[in-house]
Amino acid sequence: MAEDGAWAWIDAERQALADDLAGLDDARWSTPSLCAGLSVREVLAHLTVSGAVSRARWLVGVLRARFDFDRQVDDRLREQLGETPAVTLARFRATIGSRVSPPLPRLALLDEVVVHGEDIRRPLGIARAHPPEVLAAVLRYYAGTDLVVVAKRRVRGLRLEATDVDVAIGEGDAVRGSALALIMAMTGRAALLPELAGPGLPLLAARSG
């Protein structure tokens, strides 16, 4: 995919998420997300990092954290959180159109905003119809990598069959469902396992805990 095309998708996903959260009352910003231990506001601050922290700043942060990547992620999240939910949202909205990023492939940035966007939306009862081409690209990407998040190992020996986009990947017992449910399950979100079916589902469930 051309780099410009990936950035356009990233911008669109960021815009959609910012719009979905506009007008959210302060109490709901404390809702637990699908990321264990993080509120929806904290996940949004984490997402902001990918459009606000340059490669150089990220590497300096890694050094300061003495290569403790969990600490580095938490430090950057706290930097972007701000004093109020309104500030958190404004900082995230400012990443739309940004071409600053940590040292990650463009598709990894797209995958992050799709998955973490759902980590936020699902507990809030917000639905998004992601473009099919975005879901297909994210599904294919995660099936082939364990960069940033373990996904490839979770689906090893399984065949993923999306029922809403033209994607079937892998060999083995099938797991069927929407592309989004497959993406979320293969990145460890067990909450979406009930939306899937097929003989490979018990194995995927065992690996998604």
Side-chain angles (χ1 to χ4, degrees):
M1 178 197 302
E3 186 168 298
D4 286 350
W7 277 124
W9 284 353
I10 293 165
D11 287 341
E13 289 296 325
R14 287 173 173 168
Q15 181 74 61
L17 182 57
D19 290 348
D20 282 346
L21 299 177
L24 195 68
D25 66 65
D26 284 359
R28 297 189 75 201
W29 282 101
S30 299
T31 301
S33 74
L34 294 187
C35 289
L38 295 180
S39 68
V40 297
R41 182 182 170 200
E42 288 169 324
V43 175
L44 191 69
H46 170 68
L47 269 178
T48 302
V49 173
S50 294
V53 176
S54 68
R55 177 186 298 260
R57 279 187 62 204
W58 179 264
L59 293 175
V60 168
V62 169
L63 293 174
R64 286 178 177 166
R66 298 184 179 182
F67 294 91
D68 182 336
F69 288 96
D70 289 338
R71 176 184 164 190
Q72 154 75 350
V73 168
D74 188 65
D75 286 348
R76 300 290 78 77
L77 182 162
R78 301 301 158 191
E79 283 179 357
Q80 298 300 326
L81 195 62
E83 300 81 9
T84 66
V87 172
T88 308
L89 181 57
R91 289 181 176 179
F92 176 72
R93 194 179 286 279
T95 68
I96 300 165
S98 170
R99 297 298 178 258
V100 170
S101 74
L104 292 171
R106 299 291 82 81
L107 274 178
L109 299 178
L110 174 68
D111 300 348
E112 181 183 55
V113 73
V114 169
V115 170
H116 283 321
E118 291 303 313
D119 288 337
I120 291 168
R121 287 185 178 100
R122 288 278 173 148
L124 293 172
I126 298 171
R128 167 162 168 75
H130 297 274
E133 61 271 23
V134 168
L135 293 175
V138 172
L139 181 55
R140 290 190 179 101
Y141 182 85
Y142 274 132
T145 185
D146 287 322
L147 179 66
V148 182
V149 60
V150 173
K152 181 180 179 180
R153 276 180 284 168
R154 279 200 178 93
V155 298
R156 185 175 57 234
L158 297 172
R159 180 172 175 79
L160 307 180
E161 298 178 354
T163 55
D164 54 349
V165 299
D166 188 19
V167 178
I169 304 172
E171 299 294 334
D173 289 339
V175 181
R176 304 181 190 91
S178 71
L180 185 59
L182 289 169
I183 290 163
M184 297 300 284
M186 71 195 294
T187 55
R189 277 67 177 176
L192 277 82
L193 288 170
E195 298 180 20
L196 301 173
L201 182 57
L203 180 56
L204 180 58
R207 293 172 175 174
S208 295

